[in-house]
Amino acid sequence: MKLKGRNKVSPDFSMSSMTDIVFLLLVFFMLTSNSPNALDLLLPKAKGKSTNTQNVTVSIDKNSDYFVNNEKINGEYLEIELKKALKGKEKPTIILRAEESVAIKEAVNVMDIANKNNYKVILAVRPN
């Protein structure tokens, strides 16, 4: 009596489908992680229109740390960094993103630098 089966199970494993899944997840996370507003700031509320003009973003967080295009800088060198970033721009514009709890003197400091150098300033707010 022959009890041995004819179908033989192969223990081989194909990695191609697993590689495809990992690659697709990698592409998905790369696309979703590239956020222009990487700093988590709670902006003040206001009514107004949005604009697409953007040359340089200056962000101020609740600890009065300054960021120019999401790079942390020392507040003393803000004017120098802005001059470097806006050099050669036709209509130099600063998007000011100051957190709600930031003292007004910090925002006025950025506006003073912009006024002194003939830069346009746009204050970023949360939609109301």
Side-chain angles (χ1 to χ4, degrees), residues 13-33:
F13 178 73
S14 176
M15 287 291 291
S16 63
S17 61
M18 186 67 73
T19 305
D20 291 343
I21 291 171
V22 170
F23 177 72
L24 288 174
L25 285 172
L26 175 69
V27 170
F28 173 75
F29 286 122
M30 285 177 59
L31 290 175
T32 58
S33 68

Side-chain angles (χ1 to χ4, degrees), residues 87-106:
K87 186 176 183 179
K89 302 283 184 182
E90 186 177 323
K91 294 181 180 178
T93 304
I94 299 171
I95 306 293
L96 178 58
R97 301 181 71 239
E99 194 163 352
E100 198 172 34
S101 62
V102 170
I104 193 70
K105 70 177 184 173
E106 305 291 338

Side-chain angles (χ1 to χ4, degrees), residues 35-79:
S35 173
N37 299 329
L39 297 174
D40 187 25
L41 299 176
L42 181 62
L43 298 175
K45 290 183 182 179
K47 293 181 182 176
K49 62 180 181 177
S50 62
T51 179
N52 291 332
T53 306
Q54 181 174 349
N55 287 333
V56 173
T57 302
V58 176
S59 303
I60 309 170
D61 67 4
K62 62 185 171 189
N63 300 324
S64 296
D65 294 328
Y66 289 88
F67 297 86
V68 174
N69 291 336
N70 296 331
E71 292 182 26
K72 187 174 180 178
I73 63 161
N74 190 341
E76 297 174 7
Y77 304 114
L78 179 63
E79 186 170 4

